[in-house]
Amino acid sequence: MLAALVDGVPYVAWLGVRFDRRGDELTAVLPFAERLIGNPMLPALHGGVTAAFLETAAIVGLTWTALWDDMEAGRLAPDLGRPDSLPRLPKTIDFTVDYLRSGLPRDSYARSRIVRMGRRFASVQVEAWQDNRDRPFAHATGHFVMPQG
């Protein structure tokens, strides 16, 4: 189901973002590719790629958390062959990225933390790192409208 959520957004699929699930913990993975470099002189990841990666991690993490109980109980079983059976994603209200250092030409990882999730609104923080989780290269805060129905 995670792959279907990600592959349904063409730009995210082009980035190559995937998710690693360990129990109820979800880590977004952005495998390095040359096309993701914004400044070849450094080289460094493009800022737009970093922002899209963080926003994707926040939206998928939020969706996963909202659906976790229903999926575990078997009340929700989307058919990957029918896109209309996939859950609707939250819509971004605002998303603020803090670039702490350059993203280097290597794989990147991100995890989101839900600050508040109600029926209509959610607030999420997300951070991205590469080699050392204690040294994030970017973090962000986003607010989202939750899908209804």
Side-chain angles (χ1 to χ4, degrees):
M1 169 140 143
L2 285 170
L5 288 173
V6 173
D7 292 343
V9 182
Y11 182 61
V12 175
W14 180 82
L15 289 174
V17 175
R18 59 183 172 77
F19 285 83
D20 181 27
R21 176 185 159 213
R22 309 284 171 150
D24 66 346
E25 189 173 75
L26 199 58
T27 302
V29 180
L30 176 67
F32 175 72
E34 285 292 328
R35 68 180 182 276
L36 305 179
I37 294 295
N39 184 342
M41 297 302 290
L42 291 178
L45 292 177
H46 190 283
V49 167
T50 300
F53 177 51
L54 289 167
E55 188 172 12
T56 300
I59 289 172
V60 172
L62 185 57
T63 301
W64 187 257
T65 300
L67 300 176
W68 176 260
D69 290 337
D70 287 337
M71 287 180 36
E72 285 295 301
R75 292 185 296 265
L76 179 65
D79 178 0
L80 301 181
R82 290 186 29 235
D84 61 323
S85 73
L86 293 173
R88 293 188 357 236
L89 298 176
K91 303 293 182 207
T92 305
I93 297 170
D94 63 34
F95 199 75
T96 304
V97 178
D98 294 324
Y99 299 94
L100 306 174
R101 59 185 51 83
S102 295
L104 301 173
R106 57 185 63 135
D107 293 354
S108 301
Y109 308 92
R111 283 203 187 128
S112 61
R113 183 177 71 84
I114 297 169
V115 177
R116 179 191 184 281
M117 182 172 66
R119 288 180 301 146
R120 296 180 184 210
F121 172 84
S123 177
V124 180
Q125 294 178 340
V126 61
E127 69 177 9
W129 72 94
Q130 291 179 314
D131 296 330
N132 182 344
R133 186 165 181 200
D134 292 331
R135 289 185 40 90
F137 69 94
H139 65 79
T141 300
H143 301 99
F144 302 89
V145 174
M146 297 300 290
Q148 301 300 304

